Amino acid sequence: MKEMRRSHALIALLAATGLAGCSHHNQPDAGPAVLPANLQADFTPDQTANCPQVAVLQQAQTLTLFAPNRTDVGGQISTAQITGLNGACVVNTKTNTMTVSLSPALLADNGPANQGAPLTLPWFVSISRGDQIIDKHVYATTLTFDGNVTQTAMAGRTVKVDLPDSPDSAGIDILVGFQETPDQLAYAAAHPNAAP
């Protein structure tokens, strides 16, 4: 399983130079785990005040996919939602570092235009400080609909981010959301109650 790891030196360099380095990589999942039936997701911080803020970006929490040139109900492939994050912020006192691991909990419905086909959802993890994006990676999780089920749930791959265990890291935001086109973002904003 590939992991996203960023060193203290890289983050310090980017923060010091004011660069907003943003990289995009389509990285498919390798065997995502199925979530428990209750779809509960839990992110557990360690016993330190230095853990960064980890959250789902509200504007990118829901993604609605349509067949080409369609925006009607019959053309809907799926509405998907990031229902939460699993993971933890764990401190290594010997190295004075911490590792933030996270995995999104994904839920999607089988829309009329999908007809049970596998569904690949693009999602991202971004590291930012204030309005400045330090790094961003895009991943993809493929969900399958077994039989005649109308919904399916899975966990995305586990992503790990290494940071120094210092007060500076507490000012970092790690955000997760769906990678969306401008039209998809506009649809999500116009339909805030859309859900699988």
Side-chain angles (χ1 to χ4, degrees):
M1 181 183 301
K2 294 180 181 178
E3 300 172 347
M4 179 177 72
R5 294 186 178 264
R6 291 292 167 257
S7 68
H8 170 48
L10 174 62
I11 290 179
L13 175 65
L14 290 171
T17 58
L19 296 175
C22 181
S23 59
H24 299 268
H25 304 281
N26 266 331
Q27 301 179 359
D29 277 344
V34 177
L35 286 177
N38 60 10
L39 298 178
Q40 292 300 311
D42 182 39
F43 185 84
T44 308
D46 206 335
Q47 301 300 316
T48 177
N50 295 331
C51 285
Q53 301 297 313
V54 179
V56 177
L57 183 63
Q58 184 177 3
Q59 298 90 330
Q61 184 175 10
T62 303
L63 169 66
T64 301
L65 301 171
F66 289 96
N69 303 314
R70 302 273 302 268
T71 56
D72 58 292
V73 174
Q76 182 179 325
I77 295 172
S78 179
T79 295
Q81 188 172 40
I82 300 174
T83 59
L85 298 173
N86 296 294
C89 175
V90 179
V91 173
N92 185 333
T93 54
K94 292 181 180 178
T95 60
N96 200 34
T97 60
M98 69 179 88
T99 298
V100 180
S101 62
L102 58 92
S103 173
L106 305 171
L107 177 66
D109 65 10
N110 184 17
N114 190 51
Q115 300 179 352
L119 183 66
T120 299
L121 301 174
W123 53 275
F124 67 83
V125 176
S126 70
I127 303 172
S128 61
R129 185 186 304 278
D131 293 332
Q132 179 186 25
I133 296 175
I134 298 170
D135 201 0
K136 178 181 176 182
H137 286 258
V138 179
Y139 302 91
T141 297
T142 299
L143 289 75
T144 57
F145 297 91
D146 296 327
N148 293 324
V149 298
T150 58
Q151 289 187 341
T152 188
M154 295 187 79
R157 73 179 327 156
T158 298
V159 174
K160 294 186 178 182
V161 180
D162 290 335
L163 296 169
D165 182 17
S166 70
D168 191 51
S169 293
I172 291 175
D173 294 316
I174 299 178
L175 299 175
V176 179
F178 284 117
Q179 183 69 22
E180 303 186 47
T181 67
D183 285 346
Q184 290 168 339
L185 284 168
Y187 184 89
H191 300 83
N193 297 322

